[in-house]
Amino acid sequence: GTNARQAFQLFKRNTEEHPQSANAFDSLGDFYAATGEKQKAIAAYMQSLKLQETVDTRRKLEELKK
């Protein structure tokens, strides 16, 4: 619904305003994962990991790829 759309706008804007923020892409990935958009979640997590390797994000990515 509306909340999901607002959340998406927020996360998306966050990645645009902070393109070097691994955390911003991780949050966007979480949002996509929660809404079932697996490919988009994988892309967001991969971008996050490109900026900064974290155990948490790596684990979530591996989960999605199963």
Side-chain angles (χ1 to χ4, degrees), residues 5-46:
R5 198 161 42 247
Q6 285 171 333
F8 170 72
Q9 295 297 339
L10 188 72
F11 291 132
K12 190 79 181 122
R13 188 164 61 239
N14 203 16
T15 62
E16 287 160 4
E17 289 174 5
H18 308 281
Q20 298 306 310
S21 169
N23 197 41
F25 284 97
D26 181 68
S27 296
L28 184 62
D30 290 346
F31 175 79
Y32 282 136
T35 55
E37 297 192 72
K38 203 169 171 178
Q39 292 309 315
K40 289 182 180 178
I42 288 171
Y45 287 147
M46 285 175 72

